[in-house]
Amino acid sequence: MANILVLGVKVPFTGGGQEVLVGTLQKQLKERGHNVDVVELPLTVFPKESFLNQCAMWRSLDLSAFGGQDVDLVIATKFPSYFAKHHKKSLWLVHQHRTIYDLFGSRFSDFSDDPRDEALRQMLVEGDEKVIRECQYISGISKNVITRLENYLGIQGEVLYPPLPQGDRYKRGNFEDYILSVGRLCTIKRVDMMIKGMPVVHKHVKLKIVGRPDEPKIMEYLQNEIKRHHLEDQVEFLGRVEDDDLIDLYANALAVYYAPHDEDYGYVTLEAFASGKPIITATDSGGVLEFAKHEVNSLVVEPESHALGHAVNRLVKERELAEKLGADGRAFIESSGLHNAGWDKVLDGLLSPLSEKDDTRLRGNGS
Amino acid sequence: MKPLRIAWFSPLPDERSSITSSYVSALLLPEIEKECEITLFTNTFLKHPKLPTYHYLKAFRVHKDTPFDLFFYQLEDKPSHDFIRFHLGLMPGVVWFHDALLSTAGPIPILNSPWSDIVEKYHTPSCDWPSRKKVHTYRGPLAYRELGLAAVPVFSSEVAHGEYRRNIKEKIASASDTASYFVPVPLKDELFEDLPEQKSDSSTLSLAIAGAPFVENRIEKTLRAMEQARGKVARSVKLKWLVPEKARQEAAKLVEKYSELDIECLYGESPSQWEEIIRTCDVALHLSFTVFGHREPFPGISLALGREVVVTDFGVHDYLPENLVMKVRPGESEVGELALLIQKLSERSLSLNENNRAFAFERYQKKVVVHNLLSVFERSSQQVLPAHYDRWGKLLSTAKQNLLTESQSLVQSAYFEHALSPIFDELGWLER
């Protein structure tokens, strides 16, 4: 069995899919008898000039051995953890720093046409390519993530979907009068879009929002929207909830709203399906659409508030549709291997450098 | 002599596109690539069937590997050109302005563009970098930023070019000694082939107009004029209306409002669709009355096909001689003048207007446009761009140095020196 370090990136005081992925990966590796620990460095996105230092900090770490034990493998996840150096490095890419790639030039990016920003972008892109190509095994959490890697850096990788964090614990319940939203509260997750859709939704239907803010002033903004549309009785912020409570919330929702902009993967989609619930999502939600299919297991609408509101109303009016979509979602999960069984494929890939003598498997050379 | 290497920024070339740059690129590139080495940069990952094509964010890598002699941009007032607006600030070049007035401030990241400070620094390297916290006021709708950053501005509108030279250039300090050019949008050679004398059914006067039913496009004014002319015309009058797909519903409401008129809606926005329509019509109405958006190549197509052309008597149409086109004054008398024109046109037997064709041939012929554009490229690459790019390269170099200083200031200097600097060096981040 091997000594393995999982390299995680943490934005303190926030939590999301990244933390779930790192935690479940560590757990699964341990269950298979490996000696595993997590190395996390905090990430700050402001000021952006600090990214160079943060990348270099990862690279300056000596991860070769601790307490007399050699580290056999490191598994990097998110930017900038993959800057770490090790003779056996696997990558399970959650995402790169998207503001210099697919989000560049959009309202989600803070890179302007200042030549200093352009110098920074170029350095990070060149750095990314160099260090990712060092990895003996390259994979990503979704087709969306791997496609971005290929499109922007010309590097190919394997798709390894993260299995459901709660494994077989999801359950089906009732279809009560609330829409559940789960995820970090930040602009790109577009919870505000659903809030703004609520004025057209039947008044007895609530929106329950699980998640914590991880962007300055986001709560102020969302609360203002609620006040503006007189939704105080319809929208409820639940903050962070315990796993058991989350499972219950999924189980009894009418549907789950999850429509981020060009999402990397989206555990929420699969958690909803595992709970037998349809997803309400948008045509530009990226990784969500690798699983969510309109009128098969979800409602996929234009990324506009009134479209989302009307989608909710449709499910309120047509409960049998909500049940049918949810059942199809559940059936998809059961046939997909995204319960616990999915971990074998993931770990086979991530651990493959351990069995390679000459580091040839999916070596990061763009081929 | 080695052919010029040109980085050509445009939405993917497509002769059937409604985007002028795309249409123009499709027409010009087969000729230009005979003389130059073209690499396309777009904002998608789709590829041109023949030319090397990259996403625009990769331009710096390609340029680093094999430097370009010239970066070439076409600018329009459309969201499809946001990436061009952005990139011309990262690497200036020859900018062909199809629009010099922009109805939006552009993609969000350039709302606070420090472009004027950067241009100042470009001219005076010793001046300081602008503070990161400085708020830069956006000035619009004139494309000050894009004009200020253009190493060589080219205009497809004579009117815009004239305005730039007379009134705008002096306000953009960087542009004081910059040459500028007028090069019109080209037309397909096929438009100048022999045409049948009879355009359409002579028992009907057929009019053509394009655009969404917004006030500035004068669609409803046209319909009111047709209504006013009813009963006074010598033959029946039909309007063929090219409607953008997204305006279908509004167009339907307008058609219903004027249900007694003979109106046929066709859906689209591309020059090739306009060509198909105008070939079956007698009269082209180019009545758009707004400073935003460009008109070409639609009026050019109408002229090339020998149609009678009616335009609004307005600045953007000043380049059209009054002996070739009919001009209608916008305002109170507009509907009346249009109605009278329709009446008079219905009384005439309309044959091909050879004068219009000759004007269009002289102005828009593809090989002339190619020749003129290649001259601009050649002159720019010999006279202006080498020094410009050298200076811009030095600016980028000092930008990198400034960035490194900023990064270093964020951590303890000893830590940076001993722990991080060797990593920066290994990653090729230090300026040597």
Side-chain angles (χ1 to χ4, degrees):
Chain A
M1 290 297 118
N3 296 328
I4 300 171
L5 292 178
V6 176
L7 309 182
V9 175
K10 184 90 177 82
V11 178
F13 313 119
T14 70
Q18 161 75 7
E19 288 70 35
V20 171
L21 181 133
V22 166
T24 48
L25 175 59
Q26 181 188 20
K27 177 170 172 274
Q28 292 292 331
L29 285 165
K30 278 186 173 168
E31 281 178 10
R32 283 157 178 80
H34 297 287
N35 187 16
V36 192
D37 215 330
V38 173
V39 170
E40 281 183 330
L41 291 184
L43 175 73
T44 178
V45 297
F46 304 112
K48 56 182 178 294
E49 302 80 73
S50 68
F51 282 135
L52 297 176
N53 294 340
Q54 293 182 77
C55 293
M57 281 175 196
W58 272 102
R59 203 156 178 81
S60 69
L61 297 174
D62 180 356
L63 299 175
S64 55
F66 294 94
Q69 296 186 80
D70 287 340
V71 174
D72 301 308
L73 175 74
V74 301
I75 301 175
T77 55
K78 190 171 134 177
F79 170 85
S81 67
Y82 46 74
F83 274 79
K85 234 192 242 185
H86 193 273
H87 66 283
K88 296 266 185 188
K89 182 165 70 167
S90 272
L91 176 62
W92 195 19
L93 184 61
V94 174
H95 60 76
Q96 299 162 262
H97 189 54
R98 295 175 61 189
T99 61
I100 59 173
Y101 295 107
D102 56 295
L103 298 180
F104 186 80
S106 77
R107 65 188 182 102
F108 302 110
S109 174
D110 58 350
F111 276 71
S112 74
D113 57 348
D114 187 318
R116 291 167 293 181
D117 281 3
E118 177 59 8
L120 177 60
R121 180 183 76 88
Q122 292 185 15
M123 288 154 83
L124 290 174
V125 167
E126 289 181 321
D128 267 10
E129 190 182 347
K130 179 182 161 69
V131 303
I132 291 176
R133 286 192 188 279
E134 290 171 345
C135 298
Q136 285 81 19
Y137 178 77
I138 298 171
S139 66
I141 60 170
S142 67
K143 276 189 206 132
N144 202 15
V145 167
I146 286 298
T147 302
R148 282 187 211 137
L149 189 64
E150 183 163 357
N151 281 341
Y152 289 102
L153 294 182
I155 298 174
Q156 292 181 343
E158 207 169 338
V159 176
L160 293 179
Y161 291 122
L164 286 157
Q166 301 294 336
D168 296 323
R169 293 185 61 219
Y170 300 91
K171 60 188 182 192
R172 280 169 287 193
N174 301 316
F175 285 79
E176 295 179 10
D177 287 327
Y178 67 88
I179 302 299
L180 182 66
S181 166
V182 180
R184 291 179 295 120
L185 300 180
C186 54
T187 315
I188 204 167
K189 297 295 185 186
R190 300 195 298 195
V191 173
D192 60 327
M193 211 159 61
M194 187 68 246
I195 290 174
K196 290 175 194 175
M198 290 304 287
V200 310
V201 172
H202 296 290
K203 291 289 168 259
H204 65 281
V205 178
K206 293 198 185 318
L207 174 64
K208 297 194 183 193
I209 301 173
V210 171
R212 288 181 295 182
D214 77 352
E215 214 173 83
K217 300 198 191 284
I218 189 78
M219 281 308 292
E220 239 180 82
Y221 163 61
L222 295 176
Q223 296 284 16
N224 276 344
E225 288 301 315
I226 289 166
K227 201 170 161 185
R228 210 154 71 84
H229 297 290
H230 309 293
L231 295 168
E232 291 89 340
D233 292 336
Q234 263 183 290
V235 179
E236 192 183 349
F237 288 100
L238 301 174
R240 191 182 179 286
V241 301
E242 295 301 319
D243 289 346
D244 287 344
D245 293 329
L246 183 59
I247 288 173
D248 284 338
L249 282 164
Y250 273 120
N252 294 303
L254 171 62
V256 177
Y257 166 74
Y258 194 61
H261 172 75
D262 197 18
E263 175 68 9
D264 306 306
Y265 173 57
Y267 273 125
V268 173
T269 315
L270 302 174
E271 291 188 310
F273 289 168
S275 309
K277 296 298 147 94
I279 281 276
I280 297 174
T281 187
T283 51
D284 63 348
S285 286
V288 176
L289 303 174
E290 291 179 41
F291 310 105
K293 307 293 171 204
H294 184 58
E295 294 179 339
V296 173
N297 50 30
S298 306
L299 292 181
V300 183
V301 300
E302 289 299 314
E304 289 161 356
S305 293
H306 71 268
L308 294 167
H310 288 303
V312 172
N313 281 346
R314 188 176 168 198
L315 295 178
V316 172
K317 206 171 142 192
E318 300 172 47
R319 295 277 165 154
E320 63 286 355
L321 176 63
E323 289 175 19
K324 182 206 164 294
L325 297 176
D328 279 356
R330 175 86 186 186
F332 165 76
I333 291 291
E334 281 162 0
S335 64
S336 68
L338 286 168
H339 281 131
N340 277 334
W343 279 108
D344 289 337
K345 180 179 176 194
V346 171
L347 296 181
D348 274 350
L350 295 177
L351 300 180
S352 60
L354 290 173
S355 55
E356 295 292 331
K357 286 202 176 101
D358 58 353
D359 304 334
T360 52
R361 179 168 174 177
L362 272 174
R363 190 164 181 81
N365 58 3
S367 60
Chain B
M1 200 168 113
K2 259 179 42 179
L4 282 179
R5 267 183 56 76
I6 299 179
W8 187 288
F9 282 70
S10 162
L12 269 185
D14 180 0
E15 216 175 275
R16 295 200 64 86
S17 173
S18 60
I19 299 172
T20 300
S21 310
S22 191
Y23 169 84
V24 163
S25 297
L27 291 193
L28 295 180
L29 280 172
E31 300 304 316
I32 295 198
E33 61 154 338
K34 291 175 187 168
E35 310 288 333
C36 306
E37 265 181 47
I38 305 288
T39 303
L40 277 178
F41 290 95
T42 80
N43 60 342
T44 72
F45 294 99
L46 299 172
K47 304 274 188 205
H48 187 272
K50 289 192 189 150
L51 295 168
T53 314
Y54 295 90
H55 191 278
Y56 79 100
L57 288 180
K58 293 187 180 176
F60 81 95
R61 305 293 296 275
V62 181
H63 183 55
K64 204 170 173 178
D65 289 340
T66 323
F68 293 104
D69 298 302
L70 192 156
F71 280 69
F72 174 64
Y73 305 94
Q74 294 184 67
L75 191 70
E76 295 182 58
D77 183 23
K78 290 189 168 101
S80 54
H81 285 66
D82 279 354
F83 81 101
I84 290 179
R85 285 181 75 171
F86 206 129
H87 203 276
L88 68 84
L90 305 184
M91 178 58 86
V94 176
V95 184
W96 194 4
F97 289 87
H98 299 308
D99 292 305
L101 286 168
L102 303 174
S103 57
T104 71
I108 284 180
I110 63 169
L111 287 186
N112 195 38
S113 170
W115 72 270
S116 58
D117 286 347
I118 300 305
V119 168
E120 194 185 328
K121 185 150 178 73
Y122 165 83
H123 285 291
T124 315
S126 58
C127 75
D128 291 335
W129 283 98
S131 158
R132 294 280 194 176
K133 293 191 176 121
K134 183 175 175 183
V135 174
H136 303 272
T137 312
Y138 167 71
R139 291 194 293 166
L142 187 66
Y144 280 110
R145 171 185 170 275
E146 290 73 13
L147 288 164
L149 288 166
V152 179
V154 181
F155 297 86
S156 57
S157 157
E158 252 169 336
V159 171
H161 185 215
E163 188 62 26
Y164 171 78
R165 284 169 64 180
R166 277 193 304 275
N167 295 323
I168 297 164
K169 191 168 169 175
E170 69 206 20
K171 293 180 184 153
I172 303 174
S174 60
S176 55
D177 58 355
T178 306
S180 58
Y181 303 91
F182 160 66
V183 176
V185 164
L187 293 178
K188 285 161 42 179
D189 292 335
E190 292 87 329
L191 290 169
F192 300 107
E193 286 167 2
D194 287 342
L195 290 170
E197 265 300 317
Q198 191 69 28
K199 286 159 285 183
S200 60
D201 169 17
S202 59
S203 65
T204 303
L205 174 70
S206 51
L207 314 173
I209 197 166
F214 302 144
V215 162
E216 57 266 32
N217 289 333
R218 300 336 225 191
I219 310 291
E220 186 155 12
K221 291 233 175 185
T222 302
L223 298 177
R224 282 172 52 200
M226 284 172 68
E227 204 171 49
Q228 210 175 99
R230 240 166 24 118
K232 298 174 195 164
V233 289
R235 46 185 165 142
S236 58
V237 178
K238 178 184 178 116
L239 178 71
K240 287 192 180 179
W241 177 13
L242 183 62
V243 184
E245 187 59 58
K246 54 185 182 280
R248 193 183 266 258
Q249 276 187 2
E250 290 85 352
K253 286 182 197 157
L254 201 57
V255 169
E256 203 187 305
K257 186 175 170 186
Y258 292 89
S259 55
E260 307 222 337
L261 300 176
D262 186 359
I263 308 167
E264 182 187 348
C265 288
L266 301 112
Y267 300 96
E269 294 176 77
S270 71
S272 53
Q273 285 166 310
W274 177 252
E275 181 194 330
E276 280 165 19
I277 289 173
I278 201 65
R279 281 185 186 274
T280 64
C281 292
D282 300 303
V283 181
L285 304 174
H286 297 290
L287 300 172
S288 181
F289 180 46
T290 171
V291 296
F292 292 112
H294 54 275
R295 318 290 178 263
E296 298 294 1
F298 283 39
I301 292 172
S302 306
L303 292 165
L305 290 172
R307 270 38 184 177
E308 298 300 333
V309 172
V310 182
V311 302
T312 323
D313 191 1
F314 178 54
V316 295
H317 294 132
D318 276 354
Y319 70 99
L320 290 167
E322 296 200 4
N323 61 325
L324 295 183
V325 303
M326 290 162 270
K327 294 190 178 182
V328 168
R329 283 170 303 167
E332 278 185 18
S333 61
E334 197 173 348
V335 171
E337 284 186 37
L338 257 178
L340 195 57
L341 258 180
I342 292 171
Q343 187 188 328
K344 290 208 176 310
L345 285 166
S346 75
E347 291 162 3
R348 285 163 50 188
S349 163
L350 299 172
S351 54
L352 283 179
N353 188 321
E354 292 295 344
N355 290 335
N356 283 0
R357 274 170 70 76
F359 173 81
F361 185 75
E362 194 180 308
R363 184 184 177 86
Y364 302 112
Q365 206 192 146
K366 187 172 73 175
K367 76 174 187 192
V368 172
V369 173
V370 167
H371 172 80
N372 288 340
L373 201 60
L374 283 172
S375 299
V376 170
F377 290 162
E378 212 175 288
R379 225 176 295 171
S380 306
S381 66
Q382 284 166 5
Q383 295 168 7
V384 174
L385 292 178
H388 183 83
Y389 284 137
D390 180 58
R391 226 159 155 186
W392 190 261
K394 291 187 171 111
L395 179 79
L396 291 179
S397 197
T398 62
K400 190 174 173 184
Q401 205 49 60
N402 189 262
L403 171 68
L404 290 170
T405 306
E406 282 177 325
S407 299
Q408 191 173 349
S409 71
L410 295 170
V411 294
Q412 295 252 346
S413 60
Y415 175 60
F416 185 89
E417 197 56 45
H418 295 292
L420 301 187
S421 180
I423 307 289
F424 274 52
D425 199 14
E426 184 220 345
L427 291 171
W429 286 351
L430 291 182
E431 277 284 283
R432 293 252 177 256

